[in-house]
Amino acid sequence: MKIGIGNDHSAVEMKNQIKEYLESMGHEVVNYGTDSTDSCNYPEFGEKVGRAVADKEVDCAVLICGTGVGISIAANKVNGVRAAVCSDCATARLVKQHNNANIIAFGARIVGIELAKDIVKAYLDAEFEG
């Protein structure tokens, strides 16, 4: 699967770890986020990833900012995007099963890296039931 990933300055380290995790699972990962910890404008990265998903450049995506909320709001402004903030595995599974979310988001200041990996896996393992 081809998965987009985007982040702001608060989530560079987590983005790199999630990217590595996804690649270890055999996925191709396209980085649309910043690699700098200098303060940046998170909506730019949310929109970039949203457009990549809507234009079918990637199959789905992961967004990470401080809370996951701001970057997901930016992505959701792109027509065709269904981005959902997930802070637990049940939500990650359900947003795919019930809402056919094509982007998940979480906060680097909210969840730790192991939970973030579990959230990504729960989302990817789920299938839309519609």
Side-chain angles (χ1 to χ4, degrees), residues 8-27:
D8 71 359
H9 59 278
S10 70
V12 174
E13 183 179 339
M14 183 173 276
K15 181 266 305 270
N16 290 330
Q17 292 178 48
I18 295 297
K19 181 179 183 289
E20 184 179 296
Y21 176 66
L22 289 166
E23 290 170 341
S24 77
M25 295 168 65
H27 300 291

Side-chain angles (χ1 to χ4, degrees), residues 1 12 42 79 91 97 128:
M1 186 179 306
V12 174
Y42 68 84
N79 192 30
T91 302
Q97 290 175 334
F128 180 50

Side-chain angles (χ1 to χ4, degrees), residues 52-122:
V53 169
D55 293 343
K56 308 239 186 281
E57 292 173 20
V58 294
D59 299 305
C60 62
V62 175
L63 287 171
I64 316 166
C65 67
T67 63
V69 175
I71 204 163
S72 68
I73 289 171
N76 275 320
K77 291 184 179 203
V78 177
N79 192 30
V81 167
R82 292 173 307 283
V85 179
C86 303
S87 297
D88 60 79
C89 295
T91 302
R93 180 176 44 81
L94 290 167
V95 299
K96 178 65 119 355
Q97 290 175 334
H98 296 178
N99 308 110
N100 201 20
N102 48 20
I103 298 176
I104 58 166
F106 43 82
R109 295 177 181 147
I110 305 299
V111 301
I113 187 59
E114 293 308 316
L115 178 54
K117 289 176 184 177
D118 290 344
I119 288 168
V120 168
K121 182 163 180 15

